[in-house]
Amino acid sequence: MTGRVFLITGSTDGIGKHTAHLIAKLGATVLVHGRSPERVQLTQLEIQQQSGNANVHGYVADFASLEGVRQLSRDIHQNHSSLDVLINNAGVLETKRMESADGYEMTFAVNVLSPFYLTSLLLDLLKKGNAPRLINVASISQACRIDFDDLQFQMNYGNGVPAYELSKLCNIMFTYMMAEKFQPYGMTVNTLDPGTVNTKMLLKSWGAIGVSVDEADYEYNLATSSTYDNVTGKYFVYNQDAMSSHVSYDKKKQQKLWDILVKITGAKFD
C-alpha cells in the first residue's frame, strides 16, 4: 500500500477513524477528514504515533455547506496530484430537523449532497489513481421507497431515522449509477453496510446493539483487499455481495435522483 493515497471522510471518530488506523498501518498515505480542527489534529497525531506512519494528513471541512465540500477539494488538489481510494464515510443522523447552510435538510445535505458533490470534484484525481476505488458507505437501515416530492422531510420528520434511511438509499442508488459511468476510467465503485457497530450514532438512536468499533473492518476490507480488485456496482453486507432495497435498482428513479443532485450541487462528471 506504500504510495497509495486514501481519503476517508468523517474519520476523526467511529468506523472512519478505525479504518484510517488500519490503512495507515499498511504504509499508505492517509488523508483524515473532520469538521473540528482540534479533533482532526489529534486524530492525525494519534494515528501517526500508533501506526508509525508519518504520511497521515489532516483536512478540515464542514459538510453542512457545499462550500465546505468545495474547500476540501481545493485543499486536497493543492497537496495531491492523484487519489487512489475515496471512502465517503462521513454521515449524520439528526434527531431534530435542521437545515444546512444552503437550506437543505441536514441529513440529506451531509449524507447525500456532500459525497455526491465531493466525488465529482475529486474525480480528476481518482482518474489518475492506481486501480482507483470509490466506496460510498450506506447502511442496512435503508429506505424501501423514495418520495421525490419530499426529499427534505418538510413534514413528519419524526425522530430522524426515516431521513437517515432515505439518505442511505440515495447513497446506494447513486453508487450504482457511478459504477456504470466510471467504468471506462478503470475505477471500481461499491457501497456497503459497515456493520452494526456501537458508534455514537448507533448508541444515540438504537442503543448498544452492535459490536465494538475495533471490530468494524468491513470498510477497510472493501478498500484494501485484492478480492475486490475488479468488482464494481455492488452492495456488500458482512463482506458478502447482497441485495439492496428493490427500489434502488430502478434505473428511472436512479436517473431522477441523479438529475436532482446535479441540479442542487452543480456537480459535473464529464
Side-chain angles (χ1 to χ4, degrees):
M1 291 293 163
T2 302
R4 286 179 69 75
V5 182
F6 291 71
L7 169 60
I8 307 160
T9 66
S11 47
T12 59
D13 193 24
I15 300 170
K17 183 178 180 180
H18 175 65
T19 302
H21 266 282
L22 294 178
I23 294 174
K25 289 179 180 179
L26 299 179
T29 297
V30 177
L31 312 185
V32 171
H33 156 262
R35 61 183 175 181
S36 164
E38 294 78 13
R39 288 178 62 185
V40 168
Q41 184 178 32
L42 287 172
T43 302
Q44 176 187 350
L45 293 174
E46 178 185 329
I47 296 176
Q48 286 176 336
Q49 292 169 358
Q50 294 186 5
S51 67
N53 183 350
N55 291 317
V56 179
H57 309 285
Y59 289 88
V60 178
D62 189 347
F63 284 175
S65 75
L66 294 175
E67 175 54 31
V69 179
R70 287 190 289 270
Q71 185 60 55
L72 179 60
S73 172
R74 289 193 290 267
D75 291 343
I76 290 175
H77 275 89
Q78 186 174 359
N79 295 308
H80 301 277
S81 59
S82 65
L83 183 63
D84 300 294
V85 181
L86 169 59
I87 305 178
N88 283 314
N89 169 81
V92 298
L93 192 167
E94 301 293 351
T95 56
K96 294 183 179 179
R97 192 182 187 281
M98 303 168 58
E99 291 192 350
S100 70
D102 306 290
Y104 300 104
E105 188 275 315
M106 188 67 78
T107 301
F108 186 76
V110 175
N111 295 10
V112 182
L113 298 180
S114 294
F116 183 83
Y117 191 28
L118 182 64
T119 299
S120 75
L121 296 174
L122 297 180
L123 186 58
D124 60 326
L125 299 187
L126 285 165
K127 287 180 182 179
K128 298 174 184 176
N130 179 20
R133 296 186 185 190
L134 169 62
I135 298 170
N136 296 315
V137 179
S139 174
I140 200 168
S141 299
Q142 61 198 247
C144 59
R145 61 184 295 274
I146 183 167
D147 181 358
F148 288 105
D149 293 326
D150 193 24
L151 293 175
Q152 305 300 313
F153 277 85
Q154 297 284 359
M155 302 290 291
N156 301 319
Y157 186 78
N159 63 2
V161 172
Y164 177 80
E165 292 175 337
L166 174 63
S167 74
K168 297 295 104 178
L169 172 62
C170 292
N171 292 154
I172 295 169
M173 292 175 74
F174 71 62
T175 293
Y176 292 154
M177 285 205 68
M178 286 179 176
E180 293 184 11
K181 290 178 178 292
F182 300 168
Q183 198 162 15
Y185 310 141
M187 185 189 313
T188 62
V189 185
N190 293 293
T191 183
L192 82 159
D193 168 59
T196 304
V197 184
N198 288 333
T199 60
K200 291 179 181 178
M201 182 188 297
L202 188 84
L203 294 173
K204 179 173 68 174
S205 298
W206 288 279
I209 61 173
V211 300
S212 166
V213 171
D214 293 337
E215 300 176 52
D217 294 350
Y218 299 123
E219 282 186 32
Y220 165 75
N221 292 334
L222 189 54
T224 61
S225 174
S226 60
T227 301
Y228 309 107
D229 279 351
N230 299 302
V231 178
T232 193
K234 300 294 184 180
Y235 166 65
F236 291 93
V237 179
Y238 301 126
N239 291 330
Q240 301 297 316
D241 184 3
M243 294 292 292
S244 54
S245 293
H246 180 74
V247 68
S248 67
Y249 299 100
D250 187 316
K251 298 285 189 181
K252 290 184 179 179
K253 290 182 178 178
Q254 287 177 9
Q255 186 64 59
K256 186 170 184 177
L257 175 65
W258 185 278
D259 292 342
I260 290 171
L261 299 181
V262 166
K263 184 176 181 179
I264 291 174
T265 63
K268 297 179 181 179
F269 293 91
D270 297 331

